[in-house]
Amino acid sequence: MSLTGRVGKSLAPRITELAPGLTTSFVREALNRAIAGVGPLPGAAAAADKQLAEQHGDVDRAIHEVIENHVRYAGTQGFATNVGGLVTAAFAIPANITGVTLVQCRMIAGIAHLRGHDLDDPRVRNAILTTLLGEEVVTSLVRKKKLPAPPMALATAPAHDPNLDAIISAEVAADLIARIAGKRLATTIGRRVPVVGGLVGMGADGYATWKIGRYADREILPRPRGSAAR
């Protein structure tokens, strides 16, 4: 874990005071909006299908384009921070976190859709949110038995476990709070070192989105036959 990540974890309890709207309900609402569409962003499935058509039905190439497009969205601060109206009560959440969370959820959902998963399936939605945590965090949570399995296994579980909804939402909310703390530390450093500040402002979110997209591409495989929602 990076320095800002470690410090972010330690500062997370204090950040909840600065972002009281960042709750488990915000996490679910971000996912809902990512799938349904919000502001200038059409829904995840529609956007993914457009890429599939442009790539003449080549799923792998379409996924590559979905990832590249969302890396650009996340890296463009003006876009990511102006997909407003996500959650009325979330005005206290830093706009950048709101925008990037939605962009990353939409990217993962698009990949899941292209791999044949039903975005209305609660198992798939849990898998999308779990993927948002990133491979390192997911691996750690599974090892510690805080999560029962990685995203693909969650998406294709024999049945939906409602108890997992709250657990996964809480883990994602905690991770986002740590990101806020890390960004505040990085911004402070950036004020003193302009070059670092520019890199943080323009590249960090894009790189993080690229990593999560690559993880989603590897983890969310084509839906096996017989694993449709029950």
Side-chain angles (χ1 to χ4, degrees):
M1 182 180 292
S2 67
L3 173 61
T4 54
R6 291 195 299 271
V7 175
K9 290 288 185 182
S10 67
L11 294 179
R14 294 178 57 191
I15 296 300
T16 57
E17 299 174 5
L18 301 175
L22 185 44
T23 63
T24 57
S25 61
F26 163 76
V27 169
R28 291 287 165 176
E29 185 64 16
L31 177 59
N32 292 341
R33 297 297 181 90
I35 290 173
V38 60
L41 293 173
D49 285 339
K50 179 180 178 182
Q51 290 303 321
L52 186 63
E54 290 182 1
Q55 301 304 321
H56 309 290
D58 188 321
V59 172
D60 289 337
R61 289 179 63 87
I63 288 173
H64 174 80
E65 290 303 311
V66 166
I67 294 172
E68 290 299 310
N69 287 343
H70 286 80
V71 168
R72 284 193 289 271
Y73 294 156
T76 304
Q77 298 298 307
F79 184 92
T81 59
N82 285 286
V83 290
L86 176 59
V87 185
T88 303
F91 61 88
I93 302 173
N96 174 261
I97 294 294
T98 301
V100 173
T101 299
L102 188 146
V103 165
Q104 292 176 351
C105 281
R106 183 174 182 265
M107 174 185 66
I108 300 165
I111 293 171
H113 173 73
L114 289 171
R115 290 273 163 79
H117 297 272
D118 179 4
L119 299 184
D120 290 327
D121 186 335
R123 297 171 300 175
V124 174
R125 292 195 172 210
N126 278 341
I128 292 168
L129 287 177
T130 302
T131 305
L132 187 66
L133 293 168
E135 186 170 14
E136 180 182 345
V137 174
V138 169
T139 299
S140 175
L141 291 174
V142 171
R143 185 181 300 119
K144 295 175 182 177
K145 301 187 183 303
K146 292 185 177 181
L147 287 178
M152 184 61 190
L154 296 177
T156 56
H160 170 232
D161 179 2
N163 294 325
L164 274 179
D165 295 357
I167 293 171
I168 291 171
S169 296
E171 290 293 345
V172 173
D175 185 70
L176 294 178
I177 289 169
R179 288 193 209 178
I180 293 172
K183 281 179 178 293
R184 290 184 185 277
L185 174 65
T187 300
T188 299
I189 295 172
R191 290 195 188 104
R192 299 173 183 174
V193 187
V195 173
V196 173
L199 290 174
V200 169
M202 298 180 65
D205 289 330
Y207 177 66
T209 301
W210 176 79
K211 283 186 66 178
I212 290 173
R214 295 276 293 178
Y215 174 45
D217 186 17
R218 295 192 305 271
E219 175 66 25
I220 302 177
L221 303 176
R223 180 177 64 81
R225 292 183 180 181
S227 63
R230 293 174 173 81

